Amino acid sequence: QLQASGGGLVQAGGSLRLSCAASGRTFSSYTMGWFRQAPGKEREFVAGIRWNGGSTRYADSVKGRFTISRDNAKNTMYLQMNNLKPEDTAVYYCAAGRVVGTKIAAYDYWGQGTLVTVSS
């Protein structure tokens, strides 16, 4: 029901835009978020956005570089990633939930993930 796309290989300092398209149900009333999981590490919160886009939240490691947004009319969420660093390399997952939060347990629906690789 959630399909993440837009990952790829990029050099450090470059940009990528991830998309998360929802199907099967509307997520316009849900909080949505992006998480990432690097090899050998736990999945971590990256950014979240309330149902109306009026409030966003970011992990400290991406503040000022990443921007989360959503288009409820298109049932799609985005993550604009600028000034990418090698430590941003991970599989990025989109998720939707009823509760605003940074914890995995706050989200009920998950996409399959898209790989972002940042070379130095």
Side-chain angles (χ1 to χ4, degrees):
Q1 291 179 316
L2 295 175
Q3 180 78 30
S5 62
L9 174 63
V10 64
Q11 289 187 332
S15 299
L16 281 175
R17 189 194 195 201
L18 304 184
S19 297
C20 176
S23 62
R25 66 162 61 216
T26 180
F27 288 95
S28 59
S29 62
Y30 283 72
T31 287
M32 297 191 73
W34 289 97
F35 286 73
R36 66 186 181 187
Q37 188 166 17
K41 295 187 177 181
E42 295 185 350
R43 192 171 299 188
E44 65 176 4
F45 173 80
V46 175
I49 186 167
R50 291 183 67 93
W51 68 274
N52 60 357
S55 177
T56 58
R57 189 169 182 177
Y58 296 93
D60 289 342
S61 58
V62 307
K63 279 181 182 176
R65 300 188 298 121
F66 291 10
T67 302
I68 189 172
S69 62
R70 66 190 296 169
D71 185 339
N72 286 339
K74 295 182 179 179
N75 225 13
T76 303
M77 174 179 65
Y78 306 97
L79 185 67
Q80 178 66 43
M81 305 186 295
N82 297 329
N83 191 22
L84 283 161
K85 304 176 180 180
E87 50 264 43
D88 294 318
T89 294
V91 176
Y92 283 71
Y93 299 88
C94 59
R98 289 293 191 180
V99 179
V100 178
T102 63
K103 304 297 184 183
I104 292 174
Y107 295 83
D108 303 310
Y109 300 93
W110 292 83
Q112 87 293 353
T114 185
L115 176 62
V116 173
T117 303
V118 184
S119 63
S120 57

